[in-house]
Amino acid sequence: MDAGQLEAGADRAGWRGLPCTMHHTTVEGFRKGVRAGVRSLVHLPFDGKLTEDDVRLFMASGCGLEPTFSVAYGYARAVAGGPRLDEARMQRLEDFRKRTYHALAEAFWVPGLRPVFAAGMERAFCGKLRMLGLLDVSRVYRYFAGMAVKGADNTVALVEAGAGPRMGCGTDAGAVSLPPSAVGLELELFDFFLNDEAGKTRFTPADLLRAATIGSARCMGMDGDFGSIERGKTADLALLDGSPLEDPGILGKPVAALFMGGRLVV
């Protein structure tokens, strides 16, 4: 869409009282979406660097951001013939995948398909980049490599400007080999990409909890009913066996109890 079309769509959505969300992967798309007044931006710009004016524009808007770092987990790889082969973060991401993919298979794949998922990951680790042995997916990996480098850097710039409370937690389920419930992995990736390996913390456990709850509700325009414990809101409550402020790793794991609409269901 050009800017005029996008602004018209966002304006009509607002006129009808509907939240408007937009997928984007470019700096120009980021600018168009923020200027048009969309409610939230899904993914992150990774074809270039956001300017200080871009960051100020975002902070002055009411726009939210769902980075979907899980897409980088699935598709950001350094492959032969592509850029960023020497990027240290790409190697760290590869190591992160190797540490975590077995647990993902156990948690989210039916038993008969777990070996298929694992075998696909192993082939990618070895540089065998043909899906089902036929379709070359190296171009996909080269394209999304920028998400783990420039895209992550742009998200860091937004967080350092104060955008943390406006972040939502989305997995882009279906586009990557993950279900909507893979919240724990997405939050691990927030920590991986936004917090410095040397120990600098930009996204705290409280920020992670907000992204999984009220931040996501705001991005979807549903914060009037969901996302926080307040009188008058829908009582969808997950009880955890511990404090996510002390151990954010329990977010996304099986819950101790679950209420939906105020009724105990688990």
Side-chain angles (χ1 to χ4, degrees), residues 73-91:
Y73 183 91
Y75 297 126
R77 294 179 183 269
V79 297
R84 312 172 187 92
L85 286 174
D86 298 325
E87 173 60 54
R89 191 183 295 149
M90 297 297 290
Q91 185 58 54

Side-chain angles (χ1 to χ4, degrees), residues 77-212:
R77 294 179 183 269
V79 297
R84 312 172 187 92
L85 286 174
D86 298 325
E87 173 60 54
R89 191 183 295 149
M90 297 297 290
Q91 185 58 54
R92 287 182 57 237
L93 179 59
E94 192 77 339
D95 294 341
F96 180 86
R97 276 190 284 250
K98 289 177 180 178
R99 292 195 308 271
T100 54
Y101 80 95
H102 280 297
L104 291 178
E106 285 293 320
F108 299 122
W109 286 79
V110 296
L113 290 179
R114 285 171 192 163
V116 177
F117 172 71
M121 293 292 283
E122 291 290 348
R123 282 197 300 272
F125 292 143
C126 296
K128 297 176 181 179
L129 305 176
R130 290 190 178 275
M131 185 182 295
L132 303 177
L134 300 171
L135 181 63
D136 184 359
V137 295
S138 60
R139 290 180 62 186
V140 176
Y141 291 145
R142 278 196 293 271
Y143 175 74
F144 281 105
M147 194 173 193
V149 185
K150 292 179 182 178
D153 289 342
N154 285 333
T155 311
V156 165
L158 291 169
V159 168
E160 289 184 335
R166 285 153 60 179
M167 297 283 180
C169 176
T171 66
D172 210 40
V176 289
S177 299
L178 294 167
S181 54
V183 171
L185 175 67
E186 180 68 16
L187 294 176
E188 278 191 82
L189 291 165
F190 266 85
D191 178 69
F192 177 89
F193 284 114
L194 300 181
N195 293 330
D196 196 292
E197 58 269 28
K200 183 175 181 179
T201 300
R202 300 183 183 91
F203 220 71
T204 67
D207 293 325
L208 293 172
L209 180 58
R210 274 192 291 266

